Amino acid sequence: MKKYEHWEFLSAVLDGSRIARGICAMDLRTMEIRTFPADAIIVATGGNGAIFGKSTNSVVCTGSAQSALYQQGCYYANGEFIQVHPTCIPGEDKLRLMSESARGEGGRVWVPKTLNDKRDPKSIPESERWYFLEEWYPKYGNLVPRDVATRAIFKVVYEYNLGIDGKPMVYLDLTHIDRKTLDRKLEGILEIYEKFVGDDPRDTPMKIFPGMHYTMGGLWIDYKQSTNIPGIFAAGEAEYQYHGANRLGANSLMSCIYGGFIAGPNAVQYAKNLQAAPGNGHFDAERKRQQDINAGLMKADGSENPFLIWRELGALMTENCTVIRYNKKCQEADARIVDLLHRFQKINLSDRSQWANTTIAFVRQLYNMLQLSRVIAQGAAMRDESRGSHYKPDFPERDDKNWMKTTKATFAPDLDEPKFEFEPVDASLIPPRPRKY
C-alpha cells in the first residue's frame, strides 16, 4: 500500500449519475493537482475545531474535507452540536486541556471585580476578587459540572465583560494549596501549563478559558457508514452518527473504532458490486475545476488578509455559537459570515510561489470553513430548545416533542447557502428521560 502523505483532499470525483469514482487532491509540496480513481472512499478527517479559531483539536482539523463534500451534495448532520471543555490553556497556536482535576483538588475560579484590572493577580486582595462559581452555586462552588462551569465563565466574560485584561480568560487558582500537595496530586498537569505558558501555577494563578473540544455533528451516514452520495463512506469525528447533542466520555473512541470497523467491510462490499462508469471524462473535468480555483486564487490581488478573516470567524463563532446561544446572536453571526464570504472574494495572497505554498492550502480551507460555519450558526438558531451541549436561555428545557430530530443540511449552490430538513430520531426502544445533575 502506498501512502500519500502531505496531500490535501480537495473534492470527490463524481460521474454524471453523481456516483463517487475517486478523489481530487493537491500535493502540498509541488502544488500538483491530481485525481485518484477509487471505487469507494472512506472519509476520516476529524473534527472542525479551526472554525472556532483555537480549539483542543489538532490545528489540521478544519472541517475542510467535510465542507467540500457538503458543497458537492452530502448531507451535513447536527452541525449545531459541538462540545466545549471548561478549562483550557490559551495558546498562540491552539488550546490545550487543563484537567478538571485541578478544580477537583481545590482550585478556585475567579476574575478581578474591576474592569480591565492590570495588576498582578497575586497582588489583588481577596475582597477585590470575584469567585463567581462560589457565589452563584454555593452548594457546589467550584465543583459544579463542566457545562455549568463553562456557561458561567462565558457569562462573566461576554456579558459582564470581566475577562482578564479584556480578553476571554479567567483565573484558575491553586496558589493557596500547599506545594507538596500539588506536586503529589497534580504535578503532571502543572508541568504542562508551565511548559506552554512559562508560569509556575504553584505560584501564579493559571489563565484558562473554555475551548471547543469535539464535533458531534458531521457527515450524515446510514448504518453502513455510507453518506447519501453512493461510494462515499465516513467514520470517526468526521461523521455524526453516535453522539446526539453531547459526546459522552469514551464515545469518540467508539465512533472511531466501531465506525471504521463497519465502514471498511461495507466499502469493500460496495466496491465489489459497483458497475463500471460509462466513461472517465469526470476525472479531467474535476481536475480542471480545481486547477481553475487555484489559478483564480493565485491572481487574487485584493486588500483582505485571509488570516485576519479566519481570526474574525473564530472569534465570532466562539462568542455566539458555542456555549450560550441566543437566536438573535446566531442570526447576526450568520449575517457576518456572509459578509466574511464577500470579503473573501477580495483577498490578497502573500505567497504566489509554485512550491510548498501553504497560503493556497489555507485559503482553500478558509473558504470551506466559512461555508460550513453557516450550517452551524443557522442550525443553532433554528433549534429552539436546550439539549446536551446546545443551550439557549430563552428555551431552557429539552423539547422532545418538537426537536427529537436530526438536523440535515444540504448546500444550495444557486443560493450559496444551506437548506435544512429534519429527520426524526427513533427512540422507541429506550424512552428518553431528562438528564439532571
Side-chain angles (χ1 to χ4, degrees), residues 62-127:
T62 63
S64 182
Q66 298 95 293
S67 178
L69 292 170
Y70 151 73
Q71 291 170 66
Q72 287 188 282
C74 282
Y75 284 121
Y76 195 86
N78 289 344
E80 65 270 28
F81 293 152
I82 60 101
Q83 187 177 73
V84 173
H85 192 279
T87 55
C88 296
I89 306 169
E92 288 302 316
D93 53 347
K94 66 186 297 294
L95 304 177
R96 291 169 178 86
L97 285 187
M98 170 49 60
S99 170
E100 290 185 288
S101 60
R103 284 193 294 134
E105 294 297 338
R108 304 178 74 188
V109 178
W110 63 277
V111 292
K113 291 181 178 179
T114 304
L115 186 69
N116 292 324
D117 195 322
K118 301 293 184 182
R119 288 177 291 175
D120 184 297
K122 293 179 289 186
S123 70
I124 300 176
E126 284 284 314
S127 60

Side-chain angles (χ1 to χ4, degrees), residues 78-83 214-217 244-245 383 387 389-390:
N78 289 344
E80 65 270 28
F81 293 152
I82 60 101
Q83 187 177 73
Y214 194 87
T215 308
M216 276 84 77
R383 185 174 287 272
R387 179 182 297 274
S389 66
H390 171 77

Side-chain angles (χ1 to χ4, degrees), residues 9 11-15 18-25 34-38 41 69 72 229-230 232 280-287 289:
F9 175 89
S11 62
V13 176
L14 307 180
D15 67 14
R18 298 195 57 76
I19 296 172
R21 298 292 179 175
I23 69 166
C24 189
R34 178 177 166 187
T35 55
F36 295 81
I41 305 161
L69 292 170
Q72 287 188 282
I229 294 182
I232 301 179
N280 61 3
H282 38 274
F283 287 99
D284 290 336
E286 186 60 28
R287 181 172 60 249
R289 183 173 81 90

Side-chain angles (χ1 to χ4, degrees), residues 19-21 38-42 226-233 267 270 274:
I19 296 172
R21 298 292 179 175
D39 292 331
I41 305 161
I42 301 177
S226 174
T227 69
N228 57 302
I229 294 182
I232 301 179
F233 297 77
Y270 171 87
L274 181 64

Side-chain angles (χ1 to χ4, degrees), residues 343-354:
R343 288 169 55 190
F344 180 89
Q345 304 303 321
K346 303 172 185 177
I347 59 169
N348 192 307
L349 266 62
S350 59
D351 184 358
R352 301 180 190 277
S353 64
Q354 295 292 337

Side-chain angles (χ1 to χ4, degrees), residues 102-300:
R103 284 193 294 134
E105 294 297 338
R108 304 178 74 188
V109 178
W110 63 277
V111 292
K113 291 181 178 179
T114 304
L115 186 69
N116 292 324
D117 195 322
K118 301 293 184 182
R119 288 177 291 175
D120 184 297
K122 293 179 289 186
S123 70
I124 300 176
E126 284 284 314
S127 60
E128 296 178 31
R129 300 179 180 188
W130 184 20
Y131 294 95
F132 53 90
L133 291 179
E134 298 171 28
E135 178 179 316
W136 288 346
Y137 308 101
K139 184 176 181 180
Y140 295 99
N142 295 285
L143 299 179
V144 292
R146 65 168 60 177
D147 60 333
V148 176
T150 298
R151 290 173 200 154
I153 293 169
F154 258 65
K155 188 179 184 72
V156 165
V157 168
Y158 289 121
E159 295 187 23
Y160 289 84
N161 296 313
L162 286 176
I164 300 168
D165 296 331
K167 299 176 182 177
M169 291 184 292
V170 300
Y171 290 120
L172 174 57
D173 197 342
L174 296 167
T175 59
H176 57 286
I177 301 174
D178 179 71
R179 291 181 67 93
K180 291 182 179 179
T181 301
L182 292 175
D183 286 340
R184 187 175 74 253
K185 293 186 174 182
L186 300 173
E187 184 177 20
I189 63 172
L190 300 186
E191 286 179 352
I192 291 173
Y193 186 89
E194 191 169 6
K195 176 180 179 181
F196 287 102
V197 178
D199 294 332
D200 185 347
R202 301 166 187 83
D203 300 320
T204 303
M206 293 184 286
K207 296 177 180 179
I208 57 95
F209 191 69
M212 189 278 177
H213 183 49
Y214 194 87
T215 308
M216 276 84 77
L219 294 171
W220 179 92
I221 56 169
D222 61 17
Y223 292 117
K224 294 183 177 181
Q225 301 288 134
S226 174
T227 69
N228 57 302
I229 294 182
I232 301 179
F233 297 77
E237 198 172 348
E239 47 92 346
Y240 90 107
Q241 183 81 290
Y242 303 102
H243 307 298
N246 219 341
R247 177 188 68 87
L248 303 181
N251 275 11
S252 55
L253 291 176
M254 189 275 290
S255 174
C256 172
I257 295 170
Y258 179 77
F261 183 79
I262 298 298
N266 281 319
V268 170
Q269 188 62 40
Y270 171 87
K272 286 181 177 178
N273 297 325
L274 181 64
Q275 297 291 321
N280 61 3
H282 38 274
F283 287 99
D284 290 336
E286 186 60 28
R287 181 172 60 249
K288 185 178 186 307
R289 183 173 81 90
Q290 298 298 340
Q291 288 171 337
D292 289 346
I293 293 174
N294 271 15
L297 292 173
M298 282 292 192
K299 296 175 183 177

